[in-house]
Every structure is written in structure tokens, then in C-alpha cells.
Amino acid sequence: MKKILNFISNNLVAISVVILWLKTVIVTWTQFDVSLNAWQDVLLLIIGPLGIIMLLMGISFLLSKQVRPVVFIVGYVLISGLLYANLLYYRFYIDFVTVSVLLQLSNVGGLGPSTAELISPFDLFIIADIGLVIYLVIHTYRKTKEIRMPKKRNYATTSLVSIALTFSIALWNNPYLLTTGYDREQLVQQIGLYNYQIVNLIDGIHAPLMKVAADEKDAIKTAENVQPDGVNRSENFGLAKGKNLVLVSLESTQNFVINEKINGEEITPFLNELAKESYYFSNIYDQTAQGKTSDAEFMIDTGLYPLPSGSVNVRRPENHFESLPKVLKRTGDYKIFAFHGNDASFWNRDQMYQSLGYDRYFSKKDYEVSEENSVNYGIKDIPFLKQSIKKMDNLQEPYMAKFVLMTNHFPFLLEDKDQFIPPAETSVDVVNRYITTVSYQDKALEQFISSLKEKGMYEDSIFVFYGDHYGISRKYELGVHELLGQEQSSFNHLELQKIPLLIHIPGQKGEEIKTVAGEIDIHATLLDLLGIPADQHITLSRNLFTRNEEQPVIFRNGDIVTEKYAYIDRKCYNKESNEVIETSACEKYLEIGRQELKLSDELILGDLLRFVE
Ligand code: GP9
Ligand code: MN
């Protein structure tokens, strides 16, 4: 025993580094859905974290003998903490923590009521060794009054060589790896979680400089690259000219619930009926990123993509934007309103709405909110919409009014008395509850529209109902597959990324439109219907009525989907045969994606629209 303890004491640094390294490899491998397609992927999974762990833990060697044990322990705890924070975040968002996400925590209240759902017994594995290492360090220091360092030169060489090797193999695998840093899953898989965090940190420092360095010349150059092919007018141009525009953001609503039944009962009877009298777009994909609801709002308002990390609302609220509210105000005498039952500052909406040209934002403080009428994030959709209608009594017409709903939010909580449909009976509770909250939201919408009709506020408006983003993350998706009687596959996962979009003009004949498109395209489509030429401002949105089939739907991680192909989980699919095909078939679309995301990021991070008239 003594011998073993002596051995541990003499090799404490190496042993700690190895434990941390192995722990990281195991967590990455088992918890972060990495796809190991080639031997290089396996090699990178293993060597990726080693060099950087050695480098970070080696910082303690630069300090005096007395301080070294403390810094060593702090380093170990921090790196383990980073691993655990990423795991918790990943379990819900299937994404990795970025600097921007940490900076926006105060705007979104962390993971909110969701955190407890995300902890699992496996987590002991990530925490247990911390106690062991602390014990060993203290024990060794007490005994020998020092933490023995390995040979500095060998240690540094091993660390730097393995970092260099990691980056070389990763860049050989994919030369775009660092220029498409928004594909975080790939980055983590290729260079490891900690190298990724460093790359992300550098990016976080670089981004603010883009704005300082940008000038009019950059703006002109970028503007020239924006192809205005997507803003062609359709035969519907001006169909809703001068009408009030009512937008409703349906929280976490995925398209699979539309026309779907549970035990013979429709989940969304109201939306199903409404779809028959609307343009119902049934192939619209969620394109949001870390800004979730705020990303969806941003895309619709501006026709630009969300940022690769964080929310534009939080990172760039003071930018100059061309927005739906601004162009409406310019073309007619529109007044612009937003209604949302959460704190005004959530997602920094109070600041962002001002930049975007909203005239009045009704937020939590404008509502009567009690324990009785609230659940989860706040006031329930039924009382929220009821109280909102009262506030609409005096709205000057024409207006744009946006309502952001909240009840159908993870973890989908609802008291029995509010359940209009029994929970589903899949093996995943989150999914079972989701059905009840979606159905509650549907009821709220039904009551909302019927009140508007009663008050004579229905005829003169155009209504847009859109799901803001997915509600069931990949972790819980099995329940949905059970519900729909389909197998769990990348392709079916992609199908579940569709959100419903209904555009309803009272009195119109309904039509299901199957064009494959994305949320960003809502912007240009609304301009078309409202009779506003969309080529007057820079936008990357494409009119859904005239959209070119060759234009891919671009996801924020660089994946794409078109009528025929899909690129997801680093594989190219032929959608018709549902088979994996050569990546080259997708490459043309992936390149369009890279170009377009780059343009959008330059416009936003450089605040380039301030230079463009
Ligand atoms: C809260 C609501 C939910 O204000 O918009 O935000 P989400 O978490 O879906 O982005
Ligand atoms: Mn949302």
C-alpha cells in the first residue's frame, strides 16, 4: 500500500492528467453523439483533449511550490466543471457552450426550470474523481511539501506536439473547419472540447473588432454579394396591402403535431381547421441557433440569419437593422406592437425591439400575472391572449402586432385542469406532456381568433402563425418516433425539424404549399403579400411563392436541405431513396451555405447596414 501511495505521489501530475484525459474521452464518446466515420475521427477523439489538458494543467508549474497545489486543484476543478457544464447544456440543446451563451445567461435565466430534468446518475462519474485528486494532492503535499513536476521539456513537447497533431489531422480532414466554426459539433469532434473552447474564446474576442474595423467600402462589397434573387414578386403581390399584420409565435411547436391524432383525438384541432383556409406551408425548417425564440423573431423581422453563437438580441442590440416594422412604417402609417408575458429584458427584447422599430412593447409588467394564471415561464397563453386583446382595443390601424406565446415551453408543465387532451403514452414523459401543452396552446389560439371576430378585429388583418423552433430536442426524440411509428434515424430527425407556418387572410381559399424552405423566408413572403417591394433593402430571405428550388435551406451549423438532397450528421442524403450518397452531390449547396452564412455574419458583426441607405 505504501509503495502504491509513493508511486502515486511521485507521479501525481501524470496520473491526474491521465484521469482527466480519459474522463474527457469517455464523456465525449458516450454522451456527445459523435459520429466516428473514419479512423482519423477515432484518433482525434483520443488525442484531441490530451495536449490542451497538459498545457492548462502545466500552468501550475510556472508558480512557486506553495501556490502550485492550489492552482493545480483549481485547474482540475475548472476543466471538469467546463466538461460538466457542456454536458448539461448539450443534453438539452444538443449544442456546446459558447462564450456568447455564457454572456447572455443573465438575459435568459440559465437553463431555467429545465435544469433538474437534465441531471443523471452518470454525472457522478464526472464529479467523483475531483474528490480523489484533491485528496491525493493534499496528501502528497502534506507528506513531501511539494508536488513533483515531470521533466518540463518532455512535458511541454508532448503537449505541443499532440496539439499540433490534432489540428493538422483535423484540418486535413476538413480544410473549412476553422472558417466554419459555427459547426460546433464537428469542431468538438475534430479538435476536442477544450481546444474548441479556446477557438471559441478567440472568436469571441475577434467579433467586436469586426465592427470597429468595418467601413463603407466593406458594406458596399458585402452588399454587392447579396443576390436579390429571392425577392421576386409573386402573383399574390399586394394581396394583403394595408391590412393589419398579426404574427403569433407558437412556442416550441413542431409541424408533426399538425393533423396528428392521439387515440383518435386531434392535438391541434383549431390549427388543423385554420390550415384549410390558409396558405399552409408544410415544409418549413427551423433555422434558429442558440438564440432560440429571439432568433426566430430576428429572422422574420430582418431576413438575416441568426448569429453562429449567442443571440443577436444580446450581442448586437444597438446595430442598425432594416426590419419589417421599419419598412411597414415607411410605406404606410403602420404602428408596431409586441406582446409577450415574460420580463421585458428576457432575450434583451426591450432594447432590440427599439432598434427594430417597434413602437410599444407590452411585457410582463403590463399584465395581471398571478400564481393562479401562470405556469413554467410565466402567464399562461389563454389569460395572456385574453388580456392582450383588451390592450388592442385602442390600437390605431393599420398595425403590426406580434404575440410571443410561452406555455408550450420545455419542460412542458400544465395542471390537470388545463389539459384539453390526455398526455400521450410514449416511453418519454417529456413528449407525453408536450402533447398537452401544444393542445392547450391550440385552445388559446381558438379563443383568441373567436374574440377578434366578435370584436370586428378579424376581417382587416393578415395572420401569421409560426412555430418558433423545435420543442423536443434529440435527447427526447424517441418518444416522437414512437408516436409517429417511425424508426430513429438522421433522416427522420431532420423531418422533425419542420415547424408549422400558416398565413391566413380572411376569406381566402386554403392551399397547402409544399415548397422546401426555411423560417428566414417568412420575411420576404410577408413583404410580397403586403405589397412592399423587397429589393429596396438587403435581405437573405426568399419569397416562398417564388422560391428557386436550387436554393438550399441553410441551417446555422452549415447543414443544408433541398428538394432532393439533405446534408446532416456529416452525410449527404438522397431524400427520395433516403440513402447516403457521395458528399460531392451536396457540395454545391454546402458552398452556397458557407457563402450566405458568411455574408450574414459580416452584415451583423460589422454592423454594415449602418452604411447602406
Ligand atoms: C421567453 C420565451 C422562451 O421569453 O421567449 O424563450 P426560448 O427559451 O424558447 O428561447
Ligand atoms: Mn421559444
Side-chain angles (χ1 to χ4, degrees):
M1 187 68 186
K2 213 170 167 201
K3 258 191 184 166
I4 298 177
L5 276 177
N6 271 345
F7 175 80
I8 292 177
S9 293
N10 289 337
N11 299 285
L12 188 57
V13 171
I15 290 170
S16 309
V17 165
V18 169
I19 298 177
L20 198 47
W21 175 36
L22 286 179
K23 174 166 89 169
T24 306
V25 172
I26 292 170
V27 171
T28 311
W29 185 36
T30 61
Q31 307 293 301
F32 298 142
D33 234 351
V34 287
S35 41
L36 304 173
N37 295 332
W39 64 266
Q40 299 98 306
D41 295 344
V42 181
L43 185 66
L44 285 172
L45 175 79
I46 296 169
I47 59 164
L50 177 63
I52 186 75
I53 287 177
M54 290 180 76
L55 198 70
L56 294 174
M57 294 302 289
I59 291 174
S60 61
F61 302 171
L62 306 172
L63 304 164
S64 70
K65 273 186 188 173
Q66 292 78 14
V67 196
R68 197 176 301 150
V70 180
V71 175
F72 193 81
I73 289 175
V74 169
Y76 199 93
V77 173
L78 284 181
I79 296 175
S80 297
L82 194 64
L83 182 65
Y84 192 40
N86 271 283
L87 180 59
L88 283 182
Y89 190 77
Y90 186 87
R91 283 194 182 137
F92 184 63
Y93 292 105
I94 314 292
D95 195 354
F96 300 93
V97 174
T98 62
V99 177
S100 315
V101 153
L102 291 177
L103 293 177
Q104 76 191 13
L105 276 186
S106 62
N107 296 84
V108 294
L111 290 172
S114 343
T115 317
E117 275 279 343
L118 304 171
I119 296 169
S120 124
F122 173 89
D123 304 353
L124 274 179
F125 172 75
I126 304 180
I127 300 163
D129 59 302
I130 299 178
L132 177 73
V133 169
I134 293 178
Y135 167 79
L136 290 174
V137 171
I138 293 175
H139 176 82
T140 306
Y141 187 72
R142 276 215 185 118
K143 239 178 73 192
T144 60
K145 291 280 161 280
E146 67 162 354
I147 302 292
R148 256 228 214 154
M149 294 184 297
K151 283 218 173 71
K152 269 190 190 164
R153 180 176 293 197
N154 291 353
Y155 186 91
T157 313
T158 316
S159 159
L160 295 177
V161 165
S162 68
I163 291 178
L165 201 65
T166 301
F167 276 83
S168 309
I169 302 175
L171 285 168
W172 178 55
N173 259 353
N174 176 5
Y176 298 111
L177 188 69
L178 295 176
T179 48
T180 55
Y182 41 77
D183 189 348
R184 287 182 281 277
E185 194 146 317
Q186 184 169 188
L187 256 186
V188 170
Q189 184 160 320
Q190 298 285 297
I191 59 175
L193 185 64
Y194 310 126
N195 284 320
Y196 150 73
Q197 298 286 0
I198 305 261
V199 168
N200 187 254
L201 190 69
I202 295 170
D203 193 49
I205 295 166
H206 171 238
L209 301 177
M210 282 175 76
K211 179 165 176 173
V212 182
D215 60 18
E216 211 163 330
K217 268 195 232 136
D218 295 316
I220 294 167
K221 219 171 88 201
T222 309
E224 279 170 0
N225 286 329
V226 176
Q227 308 288 330
D229 68 314
V231 292
N232 299 331
R233 293 182 188 191
S234 75
E235 56 187 35
N236 296 327
F237 184 79
L239 207 60
K241 195 173 173 64
K243 286 192 183 269
N244 303 314
L245 169 62
V246 177
L247 279 154
V248 186
S249 164
L250 309 176
E251 179 56 49
S252 302
T253 306
Q254 294 175 223
N255 194 52
F256 79 86
V257 297
I258 304 293
N259 294 325
E260 186 62 34
K261 289 181 180 165
I262 304 279
N263 294 327
E265 231 182 300
E266 289 178 81
I267 307 170
T268 57
F270 172 72
L271 284 175
N272 299 350
E273 277 309 302
L274 191 75
K276 292 181 192 152
E277 301 164 11
S278 308
Y279 295 116
Y280 166 44
F281 297 90
S282 53
N283 279 313
I284 306 296
Y285 288 87
D286 165 15
Q287 291 170 300
T288 59
Q290 288 178 326
K292 305 293 295 293
T293 315
S294 68
D295 281 352
E297 292 182 63
F298 177 73
M299 276 188 273
I300 294 168
D301 275 338
T302 65
L304 298 176
Y305 289 92
L307 282 176
S309 63
S311 163
V312 184
N313 281 25
V314 179
R315 294 183 65 185
R316 287 292 189 271
E318 73 298 337
N319 266 16
H320 179 92
F321 290 112
E322 276 301 293
S323 63
L324 198 53
K326 284 188 187 168
V327 288
L328 278 173
K329 281 158 88 164
R330 222 174 279 144
T331 51
D333 204 12
Y334 276 83
K335 287 270 178 230
I336 317 291
F337 302 91
F339 300 81
H340 181 48
N342 206 340
D343 294 323
S345 61
F346 201 98
W347 281 131
N348 218 17
R349 285 185 176 101
D350 46 354
Q351 275 191 53
M352 189 61 169
Y353 283 168
Q354 272 190 24
S355 296
L356 292 170
Y358 285 76
D359 295 308
R360 173 78 162 92
Y361 173 23
F362 296 95
S363 65
K364 185 174 178 180
K365 62 178 179 347
D366 299 290
Y367 289 82
E368 280 163 38
V369 183
S370 61
E371 198 151 313
E372 167 66 12
N373 73 7
S374 302
V375 73
N376 203 354
Y377 275 71
I379 183 167
K380 288 183 269 193
D381 293 343
I382 291 180
F384 163 69
L385 287 173
K386 261 194 194 145
Q387 291 186 32
S388 299
I389 288 188
K390 283 198 195 134
K391 300 180 197 306
M392 289 173 78
D393 274 345
N394 311 315
L395 294 195
Q396 180 194 318
E397 296 192 63
Y399 55 78
M400 164 178 158
K402 171 162 74 179
F403 300 85
V404 181
L405 302 186
M406 210 157 54
T407 305
N408 184 38
H409 195 288
F410 187 84
F412 314 113
L413 309 173
L414 202 60
E415 291 127 43
D416 289 352
K417 67 176 167 56
D418 290 320
Q419 297 187 3
F420 298 104
I421 192 170
E425 286 161 4
T426 73
S427 61
V428 184
D429 267 345
V430 166
V431 173
N432 301 343
R433 295 199 298 268
Y434 178 71
I435 299 304
T436 64
T437 47
V438 173
S439 159
Y440 172 88
Q441 177 184 261
D442 190 71
K443 188 58 112 193
L445 295 174
E446 183 182 354
Q447 294 183 5
F448 177 58
I449 293 293
S450 89
S451 299
L452 289 180
K453 281 183 179 165
E454 272 168 30
K455 289 179 154 249
M457 297 171 76
Y458 166 75
E459 290 295 332
D460 259 349
S461 302
I462 161 174
F463 295 89
V464 182
F465 298 91
Y466 69 94
D468 62 350
H469 49 75
Y470 70 87
I472 306 297
S473 79
R474 219 165 175 169
K475 169 174 158 67
Y476 303 107
E477 224 167 61
L478 180 66
V480 184
H481 294 311
E482 279 175 26
L483 206 73
L484 303 179
Q486 63 191 24
E487 61 170 18
Q488 198 167 15
S489 68
S490 295
F491 193 74
N492 285 336
H493 165 71
L494 177 70
E495 289 300 284
L496 289 182
Q497 302 319 300
K498 289 177 187 165
I499 45 123
L501 169 63
L502 276 67
I503 301 183
H504 176 72
I505 306 172
Q508 82 172 110
K509 228 173 108 234
E511 185 184 349
E512 180 176 346
I513 300 175
K514 295 187 175 157
T515 307
V516 171
E519 256 173 316
I520 192 171
D521 300 321
I522 300 174
H523 177 81
T525 314
L526 292 180
L527 293 177
D528 190 46
L529 286 167
L530 290 160
I532 300 166
D535 53 5
Q536 315 274 310
H537 67 274
I538 291 180
T539 168
L540 297 166
S541 174
R542 267 111 182 148
N543 185 349
L544 288 165
F545 295 115
T546 57
R547 203 176 193 284
N548 173 359
E549 213 180 270
E550 282 298 284
Q551 172 62 32
V553 180
I554 302 160
F555 296 104
R556 196 48 260 206
N557 65 355
D559 285 352
I560 54 94
V561 60
T562 74
E563 301 279 344
K564 296 197 181 85
Y565 304 105
Y567 186 86
I568 174 176
D569 292 340
R570 293 170 65 205
K571 288 192 191 88
C572 181
Y573 287 86
N574 176 334
K575 279 171 70 186
E576 213 173 313
S577 63
N578 200 347
E579 271 168 14
V580 177
I581 53 172
E582 282 295 315
T583 305
S584 55
C586 287
E587 184 47 41
K588 174 172 124 194
Y589 306 107
L590 289 171
E591 178 58 22
I592 297 177
R594 284 193 287 269
Q595 292 302 335
E596 216 157 277
L597 292 174
K598 183 165 170 269
L599 266 178
S600 187
D601 291 348
E602 278 171 9
L603 283 165
I604 299 168
L605 293 173
D607 191 10
L608 296 185
L609 294 176
R610 70 193 142 136
F611 301 117
V612 183
E613 280 303 304

